[in-house]
């Protein structure tokens, strides 16, 4: 059951990445993140309830990790093609699998190992195929942002496994979203003050309302809820869940072709079939 929940989470996550890319055509990174997260917080606000102060401190730390990962990831997404970003993010499961085994003592059966190896091979091949999708200077900056996003994202995933054991999924999601909204608002305020200190020539980006922001919020709310419920299930393996969720690249690949007319498709399509095979093996083995 937990593996199936992870699959549905991956589907929504892939749609979410495509919706973010679309939303970034109208507004800046921080504006998209703030509005989408605020809307997501509104959706799950009925689950906001009192709890131990220690829980709020732990969720505050998670919010910092997620905020850092999102801001850097969105900055990279604005510089690089959607298919390229999706494949770079695919390196996250490598580290999650490694640390899940070392820190949490997770044990995988032979079929799960084969499935993970197949998916990771497909992600590596996709990374090589995507190297020529952007100019060198843009790629360097985009890759730097994505590197920060990966490190903080891995830390957040490992932290999820630690905190979810003692908290309810919707309690975690609702309060984390609220804390992230506050952090993003502070980041925007700090950016505005910094720009004003530069003089009249610097101005804050104007916000344009875009209904795609509501779509982004709905998708990330559903993807996160399914993820937390999957992680909470008895016997759930963070290593397997993380790999399945990274298969969201299958969805973003299709949408990258259809919506954004991204190139280098034929070679990537073969790698996608390999990844789909790995996901099927994981589902059968789990």
């Amino acid at each position: 059951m937990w593996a199936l929940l992870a699959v549905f989470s991956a589907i929504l996550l892939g749609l979410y990445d495509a919706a973010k890319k679309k939303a970034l055509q109208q507004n800046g990174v921080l504006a998209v993140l703030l509005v989408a997260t605020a809307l997501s917080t509104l959706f799950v606000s009925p689950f906001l309830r009192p709890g131990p102060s220690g829980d709020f401190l732990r969720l505050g730390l998670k919010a910092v990790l997620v905020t850092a990962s999102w801001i850097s990831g969105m900055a990279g997404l604005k510089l690089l093609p959607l298919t390229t970003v999706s494949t770079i993010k695919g390196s996250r499961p490598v580290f999650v699998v490694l640390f899940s085994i070392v820190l949490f003592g997770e044990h995988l059966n032979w079929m799960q190992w084969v499935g993970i190896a197949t998916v990771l091979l497909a992600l590596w091949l996709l990374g090589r195929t995507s190297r020529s999708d952007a100019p060198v200077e843009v790629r360097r900056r985009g890759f730097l942002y994505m590197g920060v996003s990966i490190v903080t994202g891995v830390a957040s995933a490992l932290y999820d496994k630690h905190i979810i054991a003692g908290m309810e999924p919707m309690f975690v999601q609702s309060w984390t979203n609220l804390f992230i909204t506050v952090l993003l608002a502070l980041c925007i305020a700090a950016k505005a003050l910094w720009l004003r200190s530069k003089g009249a020539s610097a101005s804050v980006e104007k916000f344009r309302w875009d209904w795609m922001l509501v779509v982004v919020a709905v998708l990330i709310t559903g993807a996160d809820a399914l993820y937390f419920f999957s992680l909470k299930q008895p016997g759930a393996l963070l290593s397997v869940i993380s790999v399945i969720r990274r298969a969201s690249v299958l969805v973003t690949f299709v949408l990258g072709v259809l919506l954004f007319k991204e190139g280098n498709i034929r070679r990537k399509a073969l790698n996608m079939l390999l990844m789909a095979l790995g996901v099927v093996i994981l589902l059968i083995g789990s």
Side-chain angles (χ1 to χ4, degrees):
M1 182 63 179
W2 56 269
L4 193 58
L5 290 174
V7 169
F8 287 123
S9 176
I11 293 172
L12 293 182
L13 199 60
L15 295 171
Y16 163 71
D17 280 337
K20 280 193 304 182
K21 182 75 172 179
K22 196 74 174 176
L24 284 170
Q25 294 176 350
Q26 296 294 325
N27 289 289
V29 171
L30 289 176
V32 169
L33 284 174
L34 175 61
V35 176
T37 308
L39 288 173
S40 181
T41 302
L42 181 63
F43 297 156
V44 296
S45 59
F47 298 96
L48 290 170
R49 58 175 179 76
S53 57
D55 286 353
F56 292 124
L57 290 174
R58 284 187 281 273
L59 294 178
L61 175 57
K62 174 175 171 52
V64 171
L65 292 173
V66 173
T67 302
S69 182
W70 280 7
I71 291 176
S72 54
M74 289 284 270
L77 182 62
K78 196 159 189 174
L79 292 172
L80 299 171
L82 177 61
T83 47
T84 302
V85 169
S86 299
T87 55
I88 294 172
K89 288 169 68 175
S91 65
R92 280 179 53 175
V94 177
F95 302 102
V96 175
V97 169
L98 176 62
F99 285 109
S100 294
I101 294 171
V102 173
L103 297 178
F104 304 121
E106 292 189 354
H107 297 286
L108 309 180
N109 60 44
W110 70 269
M111 190 168 285
Q112 289 169 333
W113 274 117
V114 171
I116 286 176
T118 304
V119 172
L120 294 181
L121 174 61
L123 289 169
W124 179 74
L125 292 172
L126 280 167
R128 291 177 61 84
T129 306
S130 302
R131 286 180 180 176
S132 61
D133 284 346
V136 175
E137 296 241 347
V138 173
R139 286 208 315 269
R140 285 176 180 170
R141 282 192 294 140
F143 288 161
L144 177 61
Y145 285 129
M146 292 309 301
V148 174
S149 178
I150 288 168
V151 171
T152 50
V154 169
S156 177
L158 295 170
Y159 195 54
D160 288 340
K161 178 72 172 181
H162 171 68
I163 64 176
I164 199 66
M167 303 184 203
E168 290 301 316
M170 296 310 298
F171 177 82
V172 173
Q173 184 175 356
S174 59
W175 280 104
T176 300
N177 278 4
L178 179 59
F179 292 151
I180 292 173
T181 302
V182 173
L183 288 173
L184 289 171
L186 291 175
C187 288
I188 289 179
K191 181 181 179 182
L193 290 174
W194 180 77
L195 287 174
R196 290 196 179 94
S197 71
K198 293 294 183 180
S201 59
S203 60
V204 181
E205 294 179 351
K206 291 183 179 179
F207 174 75
R208 303 176 186 85
W209 172 253
D210 183 0
W211 284 102
M212 186 57 63
L213 294 169
V214 179
V215 177
V216 172
V218 170
L219 291 172
I220 191 56
T221 302
D224 281 351
L226 289 170
Y227 164 66
F228 286 123
F229 277 110
S230 173
L231 201 58
K232 187 72 172 179
Q233 297 294 309
L237 299 174
L238 174 62
S239 51
V240 175
I241 291 172
S242 297
V243 172
I244 292 176
R245 278 187 29 112
R246 281 311 103 200
S248 61
V249 66
L250 292 167
V251 178
T252 54
F253 170 77
V254 174
L255 294 177
V257 174
L258 296 178
L259 298 180
F260 305 107
K261 310 301 180 185
E262 296 182 357
N264 204 8
I265 301 305
R266 186 172 298 177
R267 292 174 62 190
K268 290 178 181 177
L270 295 175
N271 298 330
M272 289 295 175
L273 291 175
L274 181 62
M275 182 181 297
L277 174 62
V279 173
V280 170
I281 294 173
L282 274 173
L283 286 175
I284 294 173
S286 301

